[in-house]
Amino acid sequence: MRLNEDTVLVGRRCVLVPYKEKYVKRYHAWMQDDDLLALTASERLTLDEEVENQKSWRDDAKKLTFIVLDRAQCFKNGDDRFPTNAMVGDVNAFLTVPDEPLAAEVDVMVPERRRRGFGGEAVRLLLRYGREALHLETFVAKIASENAASLKLFASLGFERTNYVEAFDEVELRSTSIIKIPWTVQSFDMAPSPGFEERRFSVRDEDDANVSGLVVRFGAKSAFAWVGPADNAPALGALAGAAPRAFAQGG
């Protein structure tokens, strides 16, 4: 999806990055597993077909895909902060729920390094992004009735069972909860380091006008702060591309 083509969401355990072409080969290898294909209701594709699939998803305004990376394996190489060997799964949102423009269907797949909390954190990061960036209000999950692990995961995130579709043997769950989770929003191409963090706040001034603030931290010692009109915040992408050292030196 064009909206998140340069967006990186950093949690405590995992990092969500856009589905770039460099991730296709490993993703395709995952999707050769028969059990995984069955659980995700997916079709087996050739590598060439998966390459084309990645391109179509990238350009589709109704599909939002993030690759889930192990944060411990990221930010180690300045030339490749988000390497393919950090891949553990993917998480998706589909803006295709009939007659519900503010709803999205979500799913998650974690075929590697399971039982380490990646799936739960990835979904929570996606839900917060959906609310704050896309202004979504409802999230829907459709899960095969035999997929006990996914049913348990979404239930733990506040999703409630609302329907069972016998024809597909699927359980439908929904959530309208507001998800609170610590995160950092970065740029895929320009994020300077794992220490880059943003914090936003909003207050009413003495004239009862809405005033917003932004604090961006680069590493342990340098930071940028801004306070001003809510509709005139600086471009975060420009800050993300700035050299942390310049802030540390007061430049």
Side-chain angles (χ1 to χ4, degrees):
M1 187 176 184
R2 289 295 183 186
L3 182 64
N4 77 311
E5 65 180 346
D6 188 49
T7 301
V8 174
L9 307 179
V10 183
R12 290 173 174 169
R13 294 184 180 90
C14 66
V15 178
L16 306 190
V17 298
Y19 185 21
K20 300 285 189 177
E21 186 175 354
K22 73 174 187 176
Y23 300 120
V24 170
K25 187 174 182 180
R26 189 159 185 170
Y27 182 88
H28 175 258
W30 290 340
M31 301 309 292
Q32 301 310 298
D33 182 83
D34 291 334
D35 292 336
L36 201 56
L37 289 171
L39 287 174
T40 59
S42 301
E43 296 181 359
R44 193 186 310 275
L45 302 178
T46 66
L47 181 56
D48 288 341
E49 289 172 332
E50 188 60 53
V51 169
E52 292 304 312
N53 190 54
Q54 180 269 335
K55 292 177 181 177
S56 69
W57 280 45
R58 178 196 63 196
D59 298 333
D60 194 324
K62 296 293 185 180
K63 295 178 180 178
L64 182 70
T65 297
F66 284 102
I67 295 295
V68 183
L69 306 181
D70 181 348
R71 177 173 174 167
Q73 300 301 314
C74 297
F75 304 107
K76 293 185 175 182
N77 183 339
D79 295 326
D80 188 13
R81 297 185 312 278
F82 311 117
T84 57
N85 63 8
M87 294 173 64
V88 298
D90 76 325
V91 63
N92 308 284
F94 304 95
L95 311 181
T96 55
V97 180
D99 303 318
E100 295 187 66
L102 298 181
E105 181 180 340
V106 298
D107 65 35
V108 63
M109 175 185 74
V110 182
E112 296 193 21
R113 304 175 215 184
R114 296 176 177 174
R115 302 183 186 281
R116 292 176 56 181
F118 292 123
E121 184 174 271
V123 173
R124 292 174 68 202
L125 289 169
L126 180 67
L127 298 188
R128 179 176 176 183
Y129 182 75
R131 278 196 172 276
E132 298 188 15
L134 307 181
H135 309 294
L136 299 173
E137 297 178 354
T138 303
F139 300 96
V140 182
K142 297 180 180 179
I143 303 170
S145 65
E146 63 184 31
N147 192 343
S150 286
L151 290 170
K152 181 178 180 180
L153 170 64
F154 279 89
S156 72
L157 297 175
F159 280 70
E160 297 181 353
R161 178 169 175 161
T162 56
N163 193 21
Y164 171 71
V165 182
E166 185 175 1
F168 300 105
D169 193 23
E170 284 184 340
V171 177
E172 180 181 296
L173 304 96
R174 286 177 171 253
S175 173
T176 56
S177 301
I178 296 176
I179 299 296
K180 295 182 179 180
I181 180 173
W183 72 351
T184 300
V185 181
Q186 300 189 3
S187 161
F188 186 88
D189 293 323
M190 298 189 298
S193 73
F196 172 83
E197 298 182 14
E198 69 156 312
R199 295 290 184 271
R200 295 180 181 270
F201 60 90
S202 180
V203 297
R204 308 293 291 186
D205 66 9
E206 58 185 12
D207 296 321
D208 200 34
N210 195 35
V211 176
S212 291
L214 170 68
V215 177
V216 180
R217 183 173 70 85
F218 297 87
K221 297 182 179 180
S222 53
F224 169 86
W226 168 89
V227 177
D231 59 353
N232 195 31
L236 187 59
L239 296 176
R245 186 172 300 174
F247 286 91
Q249 296 174 346

